[in-house]
Amino acid sequence: MAHAYIVETARTAGGRRGGALRDWHPANLGAEVLNALVARAGIDGAVIDDVIVGCVSQGGEQSFAFGRNCVLASTLPQSVPAVTIDRQCGSSQQAVQFAAQAVMSGTQDVVVAMGVESMTRVPMGSNVSLYAKAGLGEGPFSDRIEARYGTKNFSQFIGAEMVAQKHGFTREELDAYALESHRRATAARDGGAFDAEIIPLAIDGGMHTRDEGIRDDASLASIAGVKLLDPNGMISAANASQICDGAAGVLVVSEAALKKYNLTPKARIVNLTVTAGDPVIMLEEPLPATDRALERAGMKIDDIDLFEVNEAFAPIPMAWAKHTGADPAKLNVNGGAIALGHPLGASGARLMTTLVHSLHARGKKYGLQTMCEGGGIANVTIIEAL
């Protein structure tokens, strides 16, 4: 079987809602990632066969063939096509997998997989809520779905509470995990771990090069003081991912392209897996998805050197680690979305960018990335650093 290789990665530093990236049109954020990937690889943008862009809230500035608009805002020639996809939080991880599949099938040789989300300029869920306010339609969940599952209230927040309760976690444990995310992210930032990943962006007063969500002064007391989303639950804004603006991308190529364009591979894609389960608990699917990915790859959990499991909510990576028996010291070693932010459609490519750089920085070989996704879906991608 043909192989797919990652030759370049790039991401913006995360911006808080209403923060450093508030004046950046999301198409321009995507364009900067495209420009950086082409510049870092040293290739002519015209050789790119396709651009696959993950984006969740496809409305307003993120509508009307949004992926294509990222290309048109970039330095790439207009001959480069693009498409926009939505697999909820896993959108740009799925973009990586689609890009790899295109390359492995032999139908394309150079594909960009990326994601963009401005949660400031296109608020989360606005592509649903604005229709509801206008009295248009009944919402995304039809009567048949309600009849099958007994509800139309499919909520990631309810799902996170269900996962926490099912796996026996306490609020104190969730908060402790959140604190560790900030501590790891602070150490990574201060140690320069993110420097090579990040594309500097011009903002008022200078350049945006540091993730805004990292809280250097975080403590158990400050995290515990944040109001619970449900007074009877365990989830708060402090032990959940932060609303964030950002973009990230990965350049995926074939072996033929490596030779033709004199490219140096940073990683080889080993396994691509996607599974689906219960849409009510919704966020637990990375657990069985990881089992399946390892089985298909002929690997065991201890064969993997580093893990990136999206911190949509603290109980998700915690339940994942408990289920798989993975070493917590190998999990989200540079912090996760609780500290760095979760720009929805961009997070998959952001995690992949960080994973590739982390493997090289530590001289490690295998990495595994997985994310929980709306509707009870999960992607798992295993890579080998080269």
Side-chain angles (χ1 to χ4, degrees), residues 18-35:
L21 299 180
R22 65 185 179 277
D23 296 325
W24 274 81
H25 191 291
N28 293 343
L29 287 178
E32 289 300 306
V33 170
L34 288 171
N35 295 343

Side-chain angles (χ1 to χ4, degrees), residues 28-88:
N28 293 343
L29 287 178
E32 289 300 306
V33 170
L34 288 171
N35 295 343
L37 290 172
V38 168
R40 291 178 179 188
I43 61 171
D44 182 346
V47 308
I48 295 173
D49 293 307
D50 205 356
V51 176
I52 306 171
V53 181
C55 182
V56 174
S57 296
Q58 293 182 33
E61 293 179 349
Q62 293 174 174
S63 66
F64 199 78
F66 176 60
R68 175 63 170 163
N69 293 338
C70 292
V71 171
L72 297 180
S74 77
T75 59
L76 272 60
Q78 65 181 18
S79 59
V80 177
V83 66
T84 316
I85 64 169
D86 171 13
R87 188 160 261 167
Q88 295 294 280

